[in-house]
Amino acid sequence: MKPLDPKVLDEKRRWSSKIFFLMATIGFAVGLGNIWRFPYVAGESGGGAFVLLYLLFAFSIGVPIVIAEILIGRRGRSGAVGSLKALVGEEKVSSLWVGVGYLNQIAALLIQVTYAVIAGWVLLYFFRALATGFVGIDPESAGKEFQAVTNDLIGMLFWTTLSIALCGYVLYSGLKRGIERAVGLMMPTLFIVLVILIGFNFFAGGFYEALDWLFRPDFSMISMEICLAELGQAFFSIGLAMAVMMTYG
């Protein structure tokens, strides 16, 4: 097989446009940590006070680290480990810095183990929604249904394996035919779904009460434990130290 020209190979590793890069980074960062976990954690931990401190941590600590990770990846033109190896060689600094790249990849692997299972749940419920729907289901029956899903070992293995296979196919297809096509489809879909959910909840009742519960500040609930939770939420929701930002850079 004839090896690819270095210029052609480098072009294959570049984003087609900044829009795809932006959608990919947002798609990576905006997940369960923002959509599902953040609202109830904020509401139970001081409301608007939690949100203010979260934003403070996100912009003062999180954003600079994100910029640093992207710049490292852009300069190294590789993944987390490869980029740090390249920079260590260029700058003649301690090779221990490469360990940061390995830690990033280990963190990404551990998180992927969890998200593969959750993605399997999403696929299962998506197809069930198309087939039978969930009209009229109450919280108690929904809980029993979910318990039955998690107790079904064969079913869980199937849907988890399917989610991993789909992710693997996207990655195998490469940057332009894989990741860019995936985010080009899924990110607009996510936005549309969020708009529909907001509209549904607006007309379903309790919308303003929910906003009040989420954003009314209660600084008396802020403690060192809450501050650590906010810092962790900022890191997790932005996607720090998971190797992805370096790779995308």
Side-chain angles (χ1 to χ4, degrees):
M1 181 182 294
K2 184 179 179 181
L4 286 174
D5 184 271
K7 292 183 178 180
V8 175
L9 183 60
D10 187 61
E11 186 64 27
K12 286 180 174 288
R13 292 175 176 173
R14 292 182 181 274
W15 297 95
S16 298
S17 68
K18 293 180 180 179
I19 296 297
F20 283 114
F21 170 74
L22 185 62
M23 286 196 296
T25 52
I26 293 175
F28 165 69
V30 178
L32 294 180
N34 297 91
I35 298 173
W36 171 62
R37 184 176 184 272
F38 179 81
Y40 81 80
V41 171
E44 293 177 349
S45 306
F50 183 96
V51 174
L52 288 174
L53 287 176
Y54 163 79
L55 292 175
L56 175 64
F57 287 140
F59 283 99
S60 63
I61 301 176
V63 171
I65 296 177
V66 167
I67 294 173
E69 289 188 356
I70 292 174
L71 291 177
I72 290 172
R74 184 162 297 179
R75 184 170 175 182
R77 307 301 301 169
S78 184
V81 174
S83 294
L84 285 168
K85 281 183 178 179
L87 264 66
V88 164
E90 291 177 10
E91 301 297 333
K92 309 299 181 184
V93 296
S94 173
S95 60
L96 292 176
W97 282 104
V98 180
V100 175
Y102 284 109
L103 289 175
N104 274 231
Q105 291 190 333
I106 292 172
L109 175 62
L110 294 176
I111 292 171
Q112 173 60 27
V113 170
T114 302
Y115 269 72
V117 178
I118 297 173
W121 296 344
V122 172
L123 290 173
L124 169 61
Y125 276 92
F126 174 74
F127 285 108
R128 284 194 179 181
L130 292 179
T132 60
F134 298 101
V135 177
I137 192 170
D138 55 54
E140 183 179 355
S141 57
K144 291 180 180 179
E145 173 73 16
F146 180 71
Q147 188 68 37
V149 168
T150 55
N151 289 337
D152 182 8
L153 178 60
I154 302 301
M156 288 296 301
L157 285 174
F158 171 78
W159 292 106
T160 301
T161 303
L162 180 60
S163 71
I164 294 174
L166 290 173
C167 291
Y169 175 75
V170 171
L171 295 176
Y172 177 79
S173 299
L175 178 61
K176 291 182 170 56
R177 294 195 301 171
I179 296 176
E180 288 189 358
R181 286 184 179 179
V183 299
L185 171 65
M186 290 189 289
M187 287 307 296
T189 303
L190 174 63
F191 177 77
I192 293 171
V193 169
L194 287 177
V195 171
I196 293 173
L197 288 175
I198 292 172
F200 173 81
N201 284 279
F202 180 81
F203 292 105
F207 183 79
Y208 293 105
E209 290 81 0
L211 289 179
D212 181 73
W213 177 76
L214 179 59
F215 292 111
R216 180 184 292 274
D218 183 2
F219 289 95
S220 65
M221 298 186 66
I222 301 301
S223 62
M224 183 58 66
E225 183 179 354
I226 295 297
C227 288
L228 290 175
E230 291 166 343
L231 183 60
Q233 177 68 37
F235 271 60
F236 189 75
S237 60
I238 296 175
L240 300 178
M242 300 179 194
V244 175
M245 292 302 182
M246 291 189 201
T247 305
Y248 279 178

